[in-house]
């Protein structure tokens, strides 16, 4: 595969770290303390972060190793292609493409909910006025990226600094106002569960379950926060130095873990988690408003909007960049990889924009638009992460490197278990998104003179059948949006 010539010197280490951190820190960090408070006690949350930290550390090490040892590969989907052939590469890349623009749908919903802090008419974030404004913002960002990917990445690095600084302010307040007694008052959720059983919260209240149940219920929420951890790997072909890609991934991961644990756990030491669970989205906004009366709410609201715009920018670059590289690998028609005069994949960007537009309209009919969008986004990207981790394990075995193979197996096990126990219904719904993709894949293979094998047809048929099954279950009310 020939590397693109863009006429630019490439994205530096700071820009690559910006792609990782800014892609991840969008809405999750501000909503997560409320989401976790709904399903788990402080003790279970801490155990959940330990498990998720190990799982994503293994993934970060995997991406770092593969970037160094397989520097000839570009794009996170390329590991699946190298390991198991073109269809695997397509499934990985298409899953990433689905995930990235679905993430933008979640960003749009959260941004509108945040604006609702100032203008309540915008709540809950998926009304007609919200959809109109979100659509205008989305097309504005798309046009910005069409004018040049690398310049947009530089702007993204600036946004990263602004939003990390804003989050740091909230963490400092959380540290100074932290009360260990509040955190440990119901550390494992037993008091709340007993109160629910006694009817103190009304007949419709549901307990959070035992510690194991609480931990599993945290998984998909925590995994959503790391969507974007692969950001530097996705744009590796545009990096000024390929060695910076792995560094950016590891540095970004360390920063993210510190931010997420602090943002999700420190509020539990300021306000009982049962009270935080009752707050509107995003919960951190209302917690900080209580910490800093008068200015805390507006401050965090502005920080959230800036943060979302940065992630939205990243998640406009990433899916277009992925499909462009997939075209280079002959997994998509050549039109998906064609660059304009600014070095941006314009056709792919417009397709992404159109898909987001359709989904924004669909959200009008969703009972919980944000949860649905981020859950779909997370499950779709797990497919890509799992393929990359599996290739890390395969590389380790082929090169007789037991440590690297073990790292890959840990990362794969974490991704698979996390989805099967916490997101199987969303995994089925994701299969629907592959159905039109398979037609595009078959056209690409035909255009490039490659036949689709019988095995590939069977695999595509099984995934398509699962997609149809998910629609049947959706119609029956077994799963919902």
């Amino acid at each position: 595969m020939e590397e693109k010539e863009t006429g630019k010197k490439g994205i530096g280490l700071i820009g690559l770290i910006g792609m990782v951190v800014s892609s991840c820190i969008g809405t999750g960090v501000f909503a997560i303390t409320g989401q976790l408070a709904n399903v788990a006690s402080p003790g279970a949350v801490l155990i959940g972060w330990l498990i998720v930290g190990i799982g994503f550390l293994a993934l970060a090490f995997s991406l770092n190793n593969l970037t160094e040892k397989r520097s000839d590969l570009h794009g996170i989907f390329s590991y699946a292609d190298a390991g198991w052939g073109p269809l695997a590469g397509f499934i990985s890349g298409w899953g990433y493409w689905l995930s990235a623009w679905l993430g933008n749908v979640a960003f749009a919903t959260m941004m509108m909910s945040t604006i609702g802090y100032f203008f309540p008419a915008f709540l809950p974030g998926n009304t007609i006025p919200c959809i109109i404004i979100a659509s205008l913002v989305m097309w504005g960002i798309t046009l910005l990226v069409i004018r040049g990917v690398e310049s947009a990445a530089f702007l993204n690095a600036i946004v990263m600094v602004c939003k990390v600084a804003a989050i740091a302010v909230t963490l400092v307040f959380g540290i100074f106002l932290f009360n260990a007694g509040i955190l440990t008052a119901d550390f494992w959720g037993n008091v709340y569960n007993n109160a629910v059983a006694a009817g103190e919260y009304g007949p419709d209240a549901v307990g959070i379950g035992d510690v194991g149940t609480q931990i599993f219920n945290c998984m998909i929420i925590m995994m959503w926060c790391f969507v974007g951890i692969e950001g530097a790997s996705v744009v590796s072909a545009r990096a000024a130095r390929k060695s910076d890609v792995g560094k950016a991934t590891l540095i970004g991961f360390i920063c993210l873990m510190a931010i997420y644990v602090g943002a999700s756990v420190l509020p539990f030491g300021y306000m009982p988690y049962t009270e935080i669970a009752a707050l509107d989205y995003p919960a951190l906004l209302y917690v900080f408003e209580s910490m800093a009366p008068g200015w805390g709410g507006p401050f965090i609201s502005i920080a959230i909007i800036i943060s979302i715009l940065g992630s939205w920018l990243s998640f406009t670059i990433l899916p277009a960049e992925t499909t462009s590289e997939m075209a280079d690998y002959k997994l998509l028609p050549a039109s998906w990889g064609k660059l304009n005069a600014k070095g941006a994949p314009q056709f792919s960007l417009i397709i992404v924009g159109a898909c987001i537009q359709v989904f924004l309209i669909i959200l009008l009919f969703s009972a919980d638009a944000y949860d649905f969008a981020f859950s779909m986004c997370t499950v779709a990207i797990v497919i890509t992460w799992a393929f990359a981790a599996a290739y890390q394990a395969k590389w380790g075995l082929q090169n007789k490197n037991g440590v690297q193979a073990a790292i890959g197996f840990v990362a794969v096990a974490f991704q698979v278990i996390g989805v099967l126990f916490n997101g199987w219904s969303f995994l089925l719904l994701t299969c629907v998104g592959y159905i039109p993709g398979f037609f595009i894949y078959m056209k690409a293979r035909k255009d490039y003179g490659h036949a689709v094998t019988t095995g590939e047809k069977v695999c595509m048929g099984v995934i398509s059948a699962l997609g149809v099954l998910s629609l049947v279950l959706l119609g029956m009310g077994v799963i919902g949006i």
Side-chain angles (χ1 to χ4, degrees), residues 176-431:
F176 278 102
L177 297 175
F178 184 81
N179 184 327
I182 296 175
L183 178 76
T184 58
D186 187 18
F187 197 65
W188 300 110
N190 296 324
V191 174
Y192 177 73
N193 283 329
N194 291 336
V196 169
E200 294 180 19
Y201 287 91
D204 297 325
V206 178
I208 54 178
D210 59 27
V211 174
T213 300
Q214 294 174 45
I215 293 170
F216 275 119
N217 288 339
C218 289
M219 287 293 116
I220 204 75
I221 299 170
M222 293 177 174
M223 291 172 75
W224 154 245
C225 292
F226 287 97
V227 172
I229 189 72
E230 70 299 319
S233 297
V234 173
V235 296
S236 60
R238 296 180 183 268
R241 292 177 300 276
K242 196 67 179 286
S243 60
D244 285 344
V245 175
K247 294 177 185 176
T249 302
L250 288 173
I251 293 171
F253 168 78
I254 293 169
C255 294
L256 290 167
M257 276 300 297
I259 291 170
Y260 286 142
V261 174
S264 63
V265 176
L266 287 175
F268 294 161
Y270 172 76
M271 183 183 297
Y273 76 95
T274 51
E275 293 183 18
I276 293 176
L279 298 175
D280 290 330
Y281 279 176
L284 190 60
L285 189 163
Y286 299 97
V287 171
F288 193 66
E289 183 180 45
S290 175
M291 290 180 173
W295 65 273
F299 174 80
I300 286 295
S301 296
I302 294 171
I304 291 173
I305 293 172
I306 292 174
S307 178
I308 289 173
L309 289 174
S311 291
W312 204 333
L313 178 61
S314 292
F315 274 69
T316 300
I317 296 172
L318 297 179
E321 188 73 6
T322 296
T323 51
S324 176
E325 291 182 338
M326 288 173 70
D328 289 344
Y329 275 79
K330 301 181 180 180
L331 303 177
L332 289 175
S335 57
W336 290 70
K338 186 177 179 180
L339 304 181
N340 62 14
K342 298 290 186 178
Q346 183 170 321
F347 175 80
S348 182
L349 284 164
I350 292 173
I351 293 294
V352 168
C355 290
I356 294 172
Q357 185 66 75
V358 171
F359 225 79
L360 285 174
I361 295 172
I362 292 174
L363 286 187
L364 288 170
F365 309 99
S366 175
D368 194 334
Y370 177 71
D371 279 359
F372 175 70
F374 91 72
S375 297
M376 287 290 292
C377 169
T378 305
V379 169
I381 203 171
V382 164
I383 297 169
T384 308
W385 287 338
F387 267 118
Y391 185 65
Q392 159 77 1
K394 182 176 182 178
W395 183 92
L397 292 174
Q398 289 176 334
N399 290 273
K400 296 180 173 57
N401 189 324
V403 173
Q404 295 294 347
I407 289 172
F409 281 122
V410 169
V412 172
F414 169 71
Q415 304 298 336
V416 173
I417 293 172
V419 167
L420 291 182
F421 277 89
N422 207 240
W424 66 268
S425 61
F426 296 108
L427 184 60
L428 281 179
L429 287 169
T430 301
C431 293

Side-chain angles (χ1 to χ4, degrees), residues 52-131:
V52 168
I54 293 171
F56 277 102
L57 181 61
L59 179 63
F61 274 127
S62 296
L63 295 176
N64 181 51
N65 178 65
L66 293 175
T67 300
E68 292 180 359
K69 301 302 192 297
R70 292 302 312 266
S71 59
D72 55 311
L73 301 178
H74 300 292
I76 192 167
F77 71 90
S78 62
Y79 303 129
D81 180 81
W84 297 278
L87 181 61
F90 171 80
I91 291 173
S92 174
W94 195 257
Y96 188 82
W97 180 78
L98 289 171
S99 172
W101 63 259
L102 282 167
N104 283 343
V105 176
F107 298 149
T109 305
M110 180 59 74
M111 186 175 74
M112 292 301 103
S113 295
T114 304
I115 293 175
Y117 172 80
F118 300 104
F119 306 100
F122 282 86
L123 295 173
N126 62 333
T127 60
I128 291 177
C130 291
I131 301 304

